[in-house]
Amino acid sequence: MADTLFDQNDQDEDFALDRSLVDEVRLVLATADKSRLEEIFEPLHAADVADLLEQVDQGERREILLLARDVFDGEILSELDESLREEAIEFLPDDVVSEAVRELETDDVVDLVEDLDEPQQEAILDALEDADRVAVEQALAWPEDSAGRLMQREIVAAPEHWNVGQTIDFLRNQDELPEQFYHVIMVDPRLKPTGYVTLGKLLGAAREIPLTDLCEDTFRPIRVTQPEEDVAYAFNQYHLISAPVVDEDDRLVGVITIDDAMAVLDEEHEEDILRLAGVGEATSLSDRVIETTKTRFPWLFVNLITAILASLVIAQFEATIAQFVALAVLMPIVASMGGNAGTQALTVAVRALATKDLTSSNLWRVIKREALVGLANGLAFALIMGVVGWIWFGQPMLGAVLAIAMVVNLVIAGLAGILVPVSLEKLGVDPALASGAFVTTVTDVVGFFAFLGLAGWMLL
């Protein structure tokens, strides 16, 4: 069955959802064939179903939810984009939503409900069993974007004085274990985690060996109030696969697994990219026109202000431009090269700040490097554009002006690309969100001023 739905070569190549599958679903919707639609969805991974729902329009999406509700589960809900998740919960019957969320771990339920309106939150919480509801409500009480929101409450723990045999017997006697766990966490009598053992070591060791002999050196408890971006950094930096979460008294209250930490890291990367482009951190292809317009307008307005500033600089040299029309032809080249160089340095700086690679200890070394890179590139392009300006307009001095302005602007662009995001972070402003406009302003203003100012001095 799966062979008829996927082109295997394409699947092996990029794992993307096959376009023919989307087309087939649309054909099935045209005939309202419920059984065939369920047959198509049955072998699909929840992430693929979520992708399919995101690729069709709202009307088709609602038809799918109406016809295939019997195969709709909590995993699909958790994989959906946030805006579509709200739409799906509103459209699906309460009993379908209730059944779907009961299948999820508490951390997935928290992720599902934290961005919903209060009535939708209540509807989902009412569907949970009492113990799960309490766990979710306790998690929601922690600060947003903290480890307390990220952790799952389903824990596998054992007293630190146990041996392998006692631990394995304990696990086998449990009615239900978490769907995913990688360590058995050792705790003292006060429920403070003291270490953990991987399942591989546990299953490979003799029964009489104490758990303390199998401890992993990657053990790092995480405070429940720790920001989630710091959690993701710790997982990435120390190659963790899970980590216990402790409260203010250092008692074990939950565990974070690598899938949740990497999801946060991916979200952080995505937010940085979107902010650098000035389109907002929650932008999605599924957003409506009005939502997208509202998100992009403020930063387009900021860019308009910066463009006016650059135009004011140009206006100061009207007489110079009037005498040398060639300046109007060449000055966009200087500004454009500076803007691109600044964006390159800016992107590296924002990423380095996010990963904590750029710190006060290496800041000056990085500044010096970017200045030298700007100088080297500036000299190279100065030579090229100096010759181009000379040959193009037959004026050696014009080529010299262009060359000097190119060097100045590329050096300034490299410095601005580093100093602007670092300064904004010191001021408590997200460097990914605001740096682009400032760097563009600096490179445009400096580029035009250097080129036109030099032209007025050297050519008149």
Side-chain angles (χ1 to χ4, degrees), residues 287-299:
D287 289 347
R288 295 181 177 88
V289 172
I290 187 65
E291 295 169 344
T292 304
T293 303
K294 287 180 178 179
T295 302
R296 298 183 186 181
F297 179 85
W299 292 106

Side-chain angles (χ1 to χ4, degrees), residues 358-416:
L358 181 57
T359 63
S360 57
S361 62
N362 66 356
L363 176 60
W364 289 111
R365 178 175 61 81
V366 175
I367 291 174
K368 187 191 302 182
R369 188 197 72 167
E370 289 300 328
L372 291 174
V373 169
L375 179 61
N377 280 329
L379 290 171
F381 286 107
L383 179 61
I384 295 170
M385 291 309 301
V387 173
V388 169
W390 182 2
I391 295 173
W392 192 350
F393 295 98
Q395 297 186 44
M397 290 304 293
L398 181 58
V401 168
L402 184 58
I404 297 171
M406 190 75 73
V407 173
V408 171
N409 205 21
L410 263 65
V411 171
I412 294 299
L415 292 174

Side-chain angles (χ1 to χ4, degrees), residues 224-396:
V224 71
T225 53
Q226 195 81 22
E228 63 178 21
E229 59 265 26
D230 291 344
V231 174
Y233 172 80
F235 269 73
N236 190 51
Q237 179 75 3
Y238 303 113
H239 310 294
L240 306 179
I241 56 174
S242 73
V245 181
V246 296
D247 62 14
E248 61 275 5
D249 297 319
D250 293 328
R251 289 186 301 235
L252 182 65
V253 293
V255 64
I256 295 174
T257 53
I258 189 170
D259 56 325
D260 294 316
M262 291 304 99
V264 171
L265 196 63
D266 185 55
E267 287 173 6
E268 291 293 317
H269 291 169
E270 182 180 337
E271 286 177 8
D272 285 348
I273 292 171
L274 293 173
R275 286 171 174 174
L276 280 171
V279 295
E281 62 186 67
T283 298
S284 165
L285 289 177
S286 304
D287 289 347
R288 295 181 177 88
V289 172
I290 187 65
E291 295 169 344
T292 304
T293 303
K294 287 180 178 179
T295 302
R296 298 183 186 181
F297 179 85
W299 292 106
L300 288 175
F301 183 76
V302 170
N303 286 336
L304 175 63
I305 299 301
T306 62
I308 292 173
L309 289 176
S311 297
L312 290 174
V313 172
I314 296 172
Q316 306 307 307
F317 298 93
E318 287 183 22
T320 305
I321 296 172
Q323 293 187 49
F324 291 92
V325 179
L327 298 178
V329 177
L330 294 174
M331 65 183 182
I333 298 175
V334 178
S336 176
M337 291 295 292
N340 286 332
T343 300
Q344 289 175 339
L346 169 65
T347 304
V348 172
V350 169
R351 189 73 244 126
L353 287 170
T355 58
K356 305 184 190 302
D357 291 330
L358 181 57
T359 63
S360 57
S361 62
N362 66 356
L363 176 60
W364 289 111
R365 178 175 61 81
V366 175
I367 291 174
K368 187 191 302 182
R369 188 197 72 167
E370 289 300 328
L372 291 174
V373 169
L375 179 61
N377 280 329
L379 290 171
F381 286 107
L383 179 61
I384 295 170
M385 291 309 301
V387 173
V388 169
W390 182 2
I391 295 173
W392 192 350
F393 295 98
Q395 297 186 44

